[in-house]
Amino acid sequence: MIRATETTAGLSEMLETLENVMPMFGEYNQIGVTSRPDAPEPLRDAIGWIPNGVIEADYSEVTEPFRGTAFERLLQKIPFEFGRTRLMRMPPKSCLSIHADPTLRYHYALVTNPGCYIVEVSENTGAFHHIPADGRLYQMDAHRTHTAINSGKKDRYHLVICSANTAPP
């Protein structure tokens, strides 16, 4: 379900940008790194579920304050077309609902802890996957049923890039 890619980015540069945008989270746990052209609220455009009639490839513009940063440089060098890209915060002692997504997801862990996992859920079992903050981009087959948990004591921050290609791998 999770595999390391050859794509890397400097973690210290990524963390510097994260530090600069932290106040923008506000009440939300996501910030849109990309948005649709002419979105009225670009930083909120990519968060949550994708609206009906919209496709991942529509999220083609890098938002301020991510332009010219390590985040944009990473998006420019990945070997696939990106769609929605979000900076996601997961608070301690939290879990997402169990779900499956229509596209591959790519995770770049910025801040994590040993209690953070992507959990692949099948009929009778679950498999736990930890994505380390090691400067590497990880591909996730989000077509498979999964959840994410942070059982630790500190926030987890991941950059999550959705592939613009909706075909299963």
Side-chain angles (χ1 to χ4, degrees):
M1 174 173 215
I2 306 281
R3 73 167 187 81
T5 71
E6 296 298 317
T7 305
T8 61
L11 183 59
S12 61
E13 286 182 277
M14 300 289 275
L15 290 172
E16 188 177 303
T17 301
L18 172 63
E19 187 69 32
N20 291 334
V21 301
M22 286 268 209
M24 296 177 186
F25 277 105
E27 66 187 79
Y28 302 98
N29 285 320
Q30 300 180 33
I31 300 172
V33 175
T34 61
S35 68
R36 293 171 289 172
D38 301 319
E41 291 185 79
L43 294 176
R44 303 284 171 240
D45 189 43
I47 68 174
W49 297 103
I50 194 167
N52 286 335
V54 175
I55 60 172
E56 292 291 352
D58 292 341
Y59 295 87
S60 59
E61 294 191 358
V62 176
T63 61
E64 282 295 337
F66 298 99
R67 291 185 193 135
T69 70
F71 284 68
E72 184 174 37
R73 287 190 294 279
L74 174 61
L75 289 173
Q76 289 170 343
K77 78 179 197 178
I78 56 177
F80 59 89
E81 186 181 352
F82 64 84
R84 277 184 313 151
T85 302
R86 299 165 283 173
L87 183 55
M88 302 181 84
R89 173 179 64 193
M90 179 171 249
K93 301 179 185 176
S94 64
C95 179
L96 298 179
S97 61
I98 295 173
H99 65 285
D101 297 303
T103 66
L104 291 175
R105 302 287 197 253
Y106 292 82
H107 283 248
Y108 182 98
L110 292 134
V111 176
T112 190
N113 66 69
C116 293
Y117 296 97
I118 303 289
V119 183
E120 181 179 3
V121 181
S122 67
E123 237 176 78
N124 300 316
T125 188
F128 285 69
H129 305 274
H130 178 75
I131 299 174
D134 62 0
R136 183 167 302 281
L137 189 66
Y138 288 80
Q139 181 188 66
M140 176 182 154
D141 183 357
H143 298 97
R144 297 183 187 182
T145 305
H146 63 278
T147 185
I149 62 172
N150 179 357
S151 65
K153 295 180 181 178
K154 294 185 178 181
D155 287 342
R156 179 206 84 167
Y157 293 89
H158 277 199
L159 176 66
V160 179
I161 304 168
C162 299
S163 170
N165 180 2
T166 57

